[in-house]
RNA sequence: GGAGAGAUGGCUGAGCGGUUUAAAGCACACGCCUGGAAAGCGUGAGUGGGCUUAUACCCCACCAUGGGUUCGAAUCCCAUUCUCUCCGCCA
C-alpha cells in the first residue's frame, strides 16, 4: 500500500511513477484523492458532534449524581437526535474510508529510481552472466526425455492422480528433489545467516492481502474448502509461495529496532492455479501447479533495504554457483515488475535441453509497501514507529532448477553426473537407468 | 464434534452503566538524592486518525472482532474468532 500522505502531497510524482509501469494505474489517483477528501470532511463533522455528545453526557452523569433528575431529563432531550446523526455520518465516513482503501489496495508499488523503463521482459537489461553455456559432444536431451529414461518423474501417473500440471517424482528423482532442498537450507542457515522456519501451507486471506497477492490477483490461487461445508470456502488458501506466510510472521507487530534485521528462510511447496496459462510451456515440469521452493525473507530498516537486496541476490546466486550451473542475472524493467515490488532482480539458469534460460529466482525489495498492508512496524531508537523494508527472494525455486541440473549434467551414455556439492546429500556420484 | 473457563496498554492485573481522564505494580525514559550505584522521591510515557508550519495545543476513536440497547458502554445483550481445561475423533 502506498502512503496516503505521499499521494496527497505529491500526486503528480505518484502518477508519474505509476505510469512508468504502463498498466494505467495512475488514472485512479483522482478517485483516491476524492474519497480521501470526502472522508476527512465527514470525519471533521462527525467528530464535532461526538465531542458535543460526550460533553452533555458527562453533564447528565453529574446531574444524576446530584439527584437533579428533572434537569437531567431536559439534557437528555437536548441530545435526542444526536445519536442518529452521528450514526449516519459515521456510516458515511466508514464508507468513504472503505472506498479509499479498496482503491489503494489495487495500486501497485512505485518503481525505484534505479529501475530501467520498459514495457516487457525484452527490455530487462542483463546485469551479469556467470559461467558459460556448457558444450556437448552430442545433442543434449530435454529433461522430459531424461526423466523418462532415468525414471526420475512419472508424468502419466501424476496426471492420473491430479490432472495436468502436477509432478510425481520417483526414486532418484524424488531423492534429487529432497537433496536440493536440504542443500539449499543448509547453505542459507549455515553460511548466509538465515533462521529456518517451517510455516503453514494454508493461510488466511489477510496474509495474501498483506504481501499484495490480494485483492487484485485473487483468481490465481487455490481457495480451500473444509469437507463439504461451502461456508468454509475462502477462509484458507494454499500458499503460492513461502513469502505469503513468512513475510506475514510479524504482521501487526511493533518490533524493536534491535531485533532487526530479521532473516528467515523456509522450504515449502508452492501452489499456483495459473489461470489462463493453459498451453503455455506446459510440457515437462517448467510450469506446474505445485512446485517446491526455498524462500528467503528479510525485514530490515529502510536505510538498509537496497544493500540487503544485493546480499540476498548474492545468496541466491551462490546456490547456482555451487551446483556449477550457468546463469545470468537480469534487472526487471518498470513494465515487467511484480505488483508489490519496487525493484526486482531475476536469476535465470541455463537449460541446455531447452536451449533457453529459465527463471529460478526473483529477488525483490518491496520497501514499505507490504509492511503498510500488514501494519508491521518497528520502534526506532528515537522512539518513533516506522515501517521496515520487506524483501523476498527465491533461494531458489525447484522444478526449474531440477530441469537445469538434469539437462546440464546429462552424459553421452544417458546417465546423469551428480555435482560435487550434491554428492554428500545423494550419496552417489552418478545416476543411471 | 460436546462441556466449561477466559480474552483489558510492553508485561502482570483491578474495574462489571456516569467523579475512569482505564487503578495499581513491574519494566522503560528523564530529573532529584549519592563519591558512584541501589533504594527512595518526583515527572513523563500507548496506538491510529482529524486539525495544524508543528514531533505544540485541541478534538475523535481504540479494553479480542462485529453488531445491538442507552443521553452515556471496558462494564449490559447477541453473534463471531481465538486461547486454556476436560471428553470424543484422529496422523
Amino acid at each position: 500500500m502506498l502512503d496516503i500522505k505521499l499521494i496527497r502531497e505529491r500526486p503528480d510524482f505518484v502518477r508519474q511513477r505509476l505510469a512508468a509501469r504502463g498498466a494505467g494505474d495512475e488514472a485512479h489517483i483522482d478517485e483516491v484523492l476524492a474519497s480521501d477528501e470526502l472522508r476527512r470532511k465527514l470525519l471533521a463533522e462527525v467528530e464535532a458532534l461526538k465531542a458535543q455528545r460526550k460533553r452533555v453526557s458527562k453533564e447528565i452523569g453529574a446531574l444524576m449524581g446530584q439527584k437533579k433528575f428533572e434537569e437531567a431529563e431536559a439534557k437528555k432531550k437536548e441530545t435526542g437526535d444526536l445519536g442518529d446523526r452521528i450514526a449516519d455520518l459515521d456510516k458515511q465516513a466508514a464508507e468513504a474510508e472503505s472506498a479509499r482503501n479498496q482503491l489503494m489496495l489495487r495500486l501497485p508499488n512505485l518503481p525505484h529510481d534505479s529501475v530501467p523503463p520498459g514495457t516487457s521482459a525484452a527490455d530487462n537489461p542483463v546485469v551479469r552472466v556467470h559461467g558459460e553455456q556448457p558444450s556437448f559432444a552430442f545433442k543434449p536431451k530435454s529433461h522430459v526425455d531424461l526423466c523418462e529414461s532415468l525414471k526420475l518423474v512419472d508424468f502419466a501417473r501424476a496426471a492420473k492422480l491430479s490432472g495436468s500440471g502436477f509432478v510425481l517424482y520417483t526414486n532418484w528423482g524424488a531423492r534429487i528433489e529432497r537433496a536440493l532442498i536440504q542443500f539449499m537450507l543448509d547453505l542459507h542457515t549455515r553460511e548466509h545467516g538465515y533462521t529456518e522456519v517451517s510455516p503453514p501451507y494454508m493461510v488466511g486471506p489477510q496474509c495474501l492481502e498483506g504481501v499484495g497477492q490480494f485483492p487484485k490477483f485473487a483468481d490465481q490461487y487455490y481457495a480451500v474448502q473444509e469437507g463439504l461445508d461451502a461456508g468454509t470456502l475462502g477462509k484458507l488458501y494454499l500458499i503460492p509461495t513461502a513469502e505469503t506466510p513468512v513475510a506475514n510472521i510479524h504482521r501487526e507487530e511493533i518490533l524493536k529496532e534491535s531485533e532487526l534485521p530479521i532473516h528467515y528462510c523456509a522450504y515449502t511447496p508452492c501452489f499456483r492455479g495459473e489461470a489462463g496459462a493453459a498451453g503455455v510451456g506446459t510440457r515437462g515440469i517448467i510450469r506446474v501447479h505445485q512446485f517446491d521452493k526455498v524462500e528467503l525473507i528479510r525485514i530490515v530498516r529502510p536505510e538498509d533495504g537496497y544493500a540487503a537486496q544485493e546480499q540476498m541476490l548474492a545468496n541466491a546466486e551462490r546456490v547456482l554457483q555451487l551446483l556449477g550451473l550457468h546463469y545470468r542475472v537480469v534487472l526487471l524493467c518498470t513494465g515487467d515488475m511484480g505488483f508489490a515490488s519496487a525493484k526486482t532482480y531475476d536469476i535465470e539458469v541455463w537449460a541446455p535441453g531447452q536451449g533457453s534460460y529459465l527463471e529460478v529466482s526473483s529477488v525483490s525489495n518491496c520497501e514499505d509497501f507490504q509492511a503498510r498492508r500488514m501494519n508491521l512496524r518497528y520502534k526506532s531508537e528515537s522512539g518513533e514507529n516506522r515501517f521496515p523494508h520487506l524483501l523476498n527472494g527465491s533461494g531458489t525455486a525447484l522444478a526449474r532448477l531440477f530441469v537445469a541440473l538434469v539437462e546440464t549434467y546429462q552424459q553421452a551414455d544417458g546417465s546423469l553426473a551428480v555435482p560435487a556439492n550434491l554428492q554428500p546429500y545423494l550419496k552417489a556420484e552418478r545416476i543411471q537407468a
Side-chain angles (χ1 to χ4, degrees):
Chain A
M1 187 132 71
L2 301 176
D3 184 356
I4 185 63
K5 285 182 187 148
L6 181 69
I7 298 177
R8 262 182 222 155
E9 287 159 19
R10 301 176 62 197
D12 291 333
F13 167 75
V14 173
R15 270 190 281 256
Q16 182 261 320
R17 292 315 289 159
L18 286 175
R21 281 177 169 269
D25 294 295
E26 64 278 9
H28 299 294
I29 293 301
D30 284 339
E31 298 167 61
V32 171
L33 287 171
S35 55
D36 181 53
E37 203 167 314
L38 176 62
R39 166 179 172 273
R40 288 193 287 163
K41 177 178 152 283
L42 290 165
L43 270 186
E45 217 172 313
V46 72
E47 286 184 0
L49 293 179
K50 282 183 180 175
Q52 188 188 340
R53 177 178 70 183
K54 205 168 176 178
R55 198 173 55 240
V56 175
S57 289
K58 226 167 254 182
E59 289 168 12
I60 293 173
L63 290 170
M64 301 284 273
Q66 297 162 27
K67 305 215 186 293
K68 296 178 179 171
F69 300 116
E70 277 179 27
E71 285 180 49
E73 285 304 319
K75 288 273 183 195
K76 281 190 192 180
K77 286 199 180 104
E78 190 183 314
T79 54
D81 67 329
L82 263 185
D84 291 340
R85 289 165 64 199
I86 287 171
D88 182 48
L89 285 171
D90 254 343
K91 198 173 154 224
Q92 289 184 48
E95 279 166 5
E97 179 168 326
S98 163
R100 185 194 72 176
N101 291 345
Q102 285 307 308
L103 289 165
M104 298 265 291
L105 283 172
R106 287 171 179 274
L107 290 179
N109 203 356
L110 306 181
H112 186 256
D113 279 343
S114 62
V115 174
T119 56
S120 74
D123 298 320
N124 297 339
V126 174
V127 176
R128 63 177 157 269
V129 176
H130 175 84
E132 291 174 3
Q133 294 180 12
S135 56
F136 293 85
F138 55 97
K139 185 174 185 302
K141 293 181 195 160
S142 161
H143 70 281
V144 179
D145 300 328
L146 292 162
C147 286
E148 296 276 3
S149 59
L150 291 168
K151 294 187 168 36
L152 304 181
V153 172
D154 190 331
F155 293 103
R157 291 194 172 97
K160 182 172 70 179
L161 298 178
S162 307
S164 72
F166 289 91
V167 181
L168 170 60
Y169 293 98
T170 53
N171 195 16
W172 281 105
R175 294 168 71 174
I176 290 170
E177 186 79 356
R178 175 163 58 89
L180 285 169
I181 292 165
Q182 182 89 349
F183 162 71
M184 291 191 277
L185 285 173
D186 282 350
L187 175 68
H188 296 310
T189 54
R190 291 175 187 167
E191 296 184 30
H192 297 156
Y194 290 82
T195 301
E196 185 173 345
V197 294
S198 180
Y201 299 163
M202 293 190 275
V203 294
Q206 73 281 5
C207 291
L208 288 116
E209 185 178 292
V211 293
Q213 287 141 354
F214 275 13
K216 204 164 178 184
F217 307 102
D219 58 346
Q220 301 286 315
Y221 310 112
Y222 288 106
V224 172
Q225 172 175 303
E226 190 177 333
L228 299 176
D229 182 357
T232 62
L233 181 64
K235 294 254 172 81
L236 290 172
Y237 291 81
L238 293 179
I239 57 172
T241 159
E243 174 195 353
T244 312
V246 178
N248 276 288
I249 287 175
H250 298 288
R251 75 189 332 270
E252 291 156 47
E253 293 183 21
I254 301 177
L255 302 167
K256 295 186 184 119
E257 182 164 357
S258 59
E259 293 176 86
L260 301 182
I262 290 172
H263 296 187
Y264 287 133
C265 73
Y267 154 74
T268 72
C270 304
F271 304 92
R272 299 195 181 174
E274 303 282 8
V280 182
T282 45
R283 183 152 164 77
I285 57 176
I286 291 170
R287 192 180 190 94
V288 286
H289 291 306
Q290 178 189 322
F291 62 95
D292 293 308
K293 180 156 60 68
V294 170
E295 182 78 357
L296 307 175
I297 296 287
R298 292 196 186 200
I299 305 173
V300 305
R301 301 183 306 169
E303 54 268 41
D304 301 332
Y306 282 96
Q309 187 180 17
E310 298 297 326
Q311 289 166 13
M312 266 176 89
L313 177 60
N315 297 154
E317 284 180 66
R318 187 99 180 102
V319 171
L320 303 181
Q321 291 165 7
L322 289 173
L323 293 175
L325 296 171
H326 165 58
Y327 69 86
R328 67 182 187 186
V329 176
V330 301
L331 176 57
L332 299 196
C333 70
T334 51
D336 198 31
M337 273 198 313
F339 183 79
S341 179
K343 183 176 185 178
T344 299
Y345 291 103
D346 273 5
I347 302 176
E348 300 178 336
V349 68
W350 178 251
Q354 308 300 301
S356 64
Y357 289 96
L358 303 176
E359 179 191 333
V360 284
S361 177
S362 201
V363 179
S364 299
N365 184 2
C366 297
E367 298 192 350
D368 60 9
F369 186 83
Q370 297 177 322
R372 285 178 190 282
R373 286 177 161 246
M374 59 180 74
N375 201 21
L376 163 62
R377 291 162 297 171
Y378 73 96
K379 195 173 279 295
S380 70
E381 301 291 357
S382 59
E384 70 178 314
N385 292 333
R386 303 167 71 193
F387 293 106
H389 278 194
L390 249 74
L391 296 89
N392 67 81
S394 344
T396 67
L398 279 286
R400 291 172 187 174
L401 179 67
F402 189 101
V403 168
L405 192 86
V406 169
E407 293 187 358
T408 297
Y409 284 93
Q410 60 180 304
Q411 305 297 307
D413 64 0
S415 71
L416 194 64
V418 175
N421 285 309
L422 219 48
Q423 288 178 11
Y425 291 94
L426 274 176
K427 309 270 193 296
E429 294 174 7
R430 180 173 292 268
I431 292 164
Q432 34 207 15

